Amino acid sequence: MQEENDPHFETAAIRTRAAQTQHREHTVPLYLTSSFTFENSEQARAMFADEIEGNIYTRFSNPNTTELIEKLCVLEGTEDGVATASGMSAMFTSMAGLLKAGDHVLASRSLFGSTHQILTQIFPRWGIAHSYADINRPDTWEALIRPNTKMIFVETPSNPSLDLIDLDWLGKLAARRGVILNVDNCFATPYLQQPAKYGAHLVTHSVTKFIDGQGRTIGGAILGKKELIKEIRFFARHTGPSLSPFNAWMLSKSLETLAVRMDRHCENALQLATFLEGHPRVEKVIYPFLPSHPQHELARRQMRSGGPLVTFIVKGGLGRAARLVDNLQMVSRTSNLGDTRSIATHPASTTHAKLSDDDRAAVGILPGLIRISVGLEHPDDVIRDIRQALEKD
Ligand SMILES: *Cc1c(COP(=O)(O)O)cnc(C)c1O
């Protein structure tokens, strides 16, 4: 929530920093130290007793991870946070740090594959149940909330079908029913949407994706309300999913360019989506800022722009989709996303291959569906490569 004198997003992303040391360095140094010293035993006692703040040990905190979290909190409009070693450790810790046996999680069915595995394969061992709600049937969600539902977990836009959830509606539902709302904001980043503004209690990230944006590292973040983060921090401190200082240092630098990178990713994505929509070999293009997207109006309301991902369905199903991916000359074939390099992924045979055919169909993953994470190359070159791959045979 921008107050009159608050710095703008771009400024906060650059100027939020750890305190300068006696060397008056211009950018923040890297604190490669596993532990920190105490001035005396009284200070040590007070720090361990949480009476005073300070770094004790890098598994608990480190100036580089603290800087990254403070910056992300300003950008997301959240109170506090914990940095983690991967996006999945953020998703896991944000749930396991708060839930206990007997609790229930209501989640959107369209989830990142490993989050789905946590809910369906790992949490049941500990007596934590879940139900899935259909992202396109918001009218059915409230009835799925049980007396023991402690958390609602969602991603918007969803992967890879780019369906949106109305965060304003969901924030109000969670508040009314007293349930913690946890939003994985990895696809949008805080530059495109800030779930906490709509009442999300937790905002989780794989910072591996657009926040790093350069395909260099793995990391995660859990941001949110002070009292929830306090419990999550206790869990993280004693179970140890900490982000390394080097990665935190690099990711804080990555955030300095997030706004300009996202603007360009989104401009390029809109150009690619517009090209694909007119192509005779393409059955359907899904992009939130195209008027053909069924939730176009919501996208305009909730997101600053349409995002860096474009999903489309080629005519000819699995065979044509596989050939298209094989025919690419520049665009990378990897399952990742959120890089300077454009990436093509065929979810039905890779990221979502473990799902049953029915589960895939339920989240709109057709055999001919291809997801492009649009990079920062010149958009004409990306379009040229995808066009030749599409038209080759
Ligand atoms: C990649 C991703 C994750 C997992 O993050 P890692 O950094 O790979 O552990 C979680 N959620 C979404 C939406 C993702 O795209």
Side-chain angles (χ1 to χ4, degrees), residues 86-88 91 112 155 184 186-187 206 208-209 218-219:
S86 68
M88 281 329 299
M91 305 314 149
F112 186 72
E155 294 172 21
D184 176 344
C186 157
F187 271 34
S206 165
T208 311
K209 311 295 167 52
I218 301 281

Side-chain angles (χ1 to χ4, degrees), residues 269-330:
L270 182 59
Q271 284 198 39
L272 175 65
T274 306
F275 158 76
L276 288 169
E277 194 157 58
H279 199 284
R281 286 196 167 178
V282 173
E283 192 167 303
K284 185 178 166 194
V285 179
I286 307 166
Y287 187 69
F289 265 38
L290 281 182
S292 58
H293 192 286
Q295 293 162 300
H296 181 236
E297 215 176 286
L298 170 62
R300 297 259 170 197
R301 200 165 359 111
Q302 183 164 290
M303 297 171 69
R304 189 195 289 259
S305 49
L309 293 146
V310 176
T311 293
F312 64 104
I313 297 160
V314 286
K315 290 182 185 161
L318 187 71
R320 168 90 65 191
R323 282 202 300 284
L324 190 161
V325 172
D326 288 343
N327 287 339
L328 290 166
Q329 292 173 350
M330 178 187 77

Side-chain angles (χ1 to χ4, degrees), residues 90-102:
M91 305 314 149
F92 175 73
T93 305
S94 73
M95 294 191 267
L98 296 172
L99 302 174
K100 60 179 189 322

Side-chain angles (χ1 to χ4, degrees), residues 110 135 189 198 248 316 331 359 365 384 390:
S110 309
I135 195 165
T189 82
Y198 303 101
V331 172
D359 282 349
I365 302 176
R384 185 183 313 119
L390 196 53

